Each structure stands twice: as C-alpha cells, then as structure tokens.
Amino acid sequence: MPKPNTDADYPSVICTVDVVLLTLKGQSLHVVLLRRKSEPFMGLPALPGGFVHTQEDATAWDAATRVLREKTGIVSPYLEQLASYSGAERDPRGWSVSLVYYALVPLEALSLQTEGLLLAPVAKLPKLPFDHRRIVDEAVARVRSKSQYSSLPVYLCQDRITLPRLQAVYEAVLGEPINKVSFRRKMDEMGMLEPVEGELEGGAAHRPAQVYRLKKAYRKELSVVTRGLNS
C-alpha cells in the first residue's frame, strides 16, 4: 500500500513582499530600483523587496512597510496593495508568492545616495529579474487609472503646491494634457486642498498663484470624484 504524502514531502513556499515605489523626475514617472546583492540575479536592478518575517510582521502590509523602510529609508504616507503574484516558474529558487504593494513619494523624499539605488523611467525600464517588469507595468496602469478620479498624485508632491504645478503633476502621471477648467472643478469637488493663508507663488509671466496644502484628513486617505478629470 502506498505511503500517504505528508507535509514533509513538499518544499516550503517562498513568501516575499515587493514594493513599486514611484516618483516624478523631470516631469516623467520613475520607479525606484535596487541592485540585488545576492543570487539569483545578483547585480540586476530589482524592486525593493524581501522575505516576510513571520515573527515580526503582523500582516503583509507591515512587511511591506518594513521592507520599504529598511531598503530605501522611506516611510510612505500611502501604501496600497496591488496584487499577489505566484507560481512555480517566477523564481528559480522554487514555488513562490509575492504580495506586491505600490507607493508614491516626492523625489525630494528619496535619498539618492543609498547604495545600489537607481531611478528608471517607467517608459524605458532596464532588464528586470523575476516578473518585475510585469509588476511595474501593472502598477503604473493602476496608478494612472486611479489618478483619473482621485487625489492619488498628491503623494508625489511636497507639502505645499499651487494648482498649476499640481495640474502638471497629474498630466505627468497620466501622460496626457488635462483641461484647466475641468481640472480645477474636480479639485473643488474633491475638497482635499486648503489655501495657505497669505502664501503666494510668483511667476514671471503670470500673476501670483495661491499656495495650497493637503488637508489633514486626506494625508492618508484618497479623495475621489465620480467622473474622470477631463469629463
């Protein structure tokens, strides 16, 4: 009679978290990558990631927050789960599952002196290991979709911003122009900004623009509208 299989007959599943950390550089969307320090794919740039620490991480979100802090020094105000990626072929070490999150930060928040850290434009990615190219592509698609109707791009901005500069950030994320009147109407509908009293930003060819900041209630939550920015 055949001996029944036990748990010992099956190798453990590799469980990791990866973070797609996006920022704006030169008005184009970039992803933060780190050169791998060990095999497999040692030396290749990859998404910040690491194993789940079962004794330390209460949830996958906690693991992603820890990995992001340890690998990049960033504590993101907004971190959202993208999807899970799994299978026997995605990692040469064995059957694996990665719980992937994405985050947005202003360029000024990054320490570009971090060893092995580099920024890559999402439109021209280098060779990436595992299924990281697919993951980046799907994260960018998610961000662009949500940016059509939410306050998500404000996490790419510093604390204070004018409406013209905020519109430029939205356009950089979406990769398309936005009607100025429609954009300002949507910002009013979202109700996420408050003017900084007495603070204006001058421009050579334009009248001074009011400076705004994100209301406290929206610093960790998104504001949304029912229709897209150009509608």
Side-chain angles (χ1 to χ4, degrees), residues 100-117:
V100 178
Y101 288 75
Y102 69 93
L104 288 76
V105 294
L107 182 63
E108 295 79 7
L110 287 169
S111 175
L112 300 180
Q113 305 306 313
T114 301
E115 183 182 0
L117 185 146

Side-chain angles (χ1 to χ4, degrees), residues 149-151 170 186-192 218 223-225:
Y149 61 86
S150 80
S151 60
Y170 268 84
K186 296 301 181 184
M187 293 303 104
D188 287 340
E189 289 178 18
M190 288 184 194
M192 63 183 181
Y218 297 107
S223 178
V224 299
V225 290

Side-chain angles (χ1 to χ4, degrees), residues 50-71:
F51 294 105
V52 173
H53 294 176
T54 57
Q55 301 302 314
E56 180 182 354
D57 304 322
T59 65
W61 188 92
D62 293 323
T65 301
R66 174 184 55 76
V67 163
L68 192 60
R69 183 181 65 251
E70 291 176 353
K71 296 292 181 72

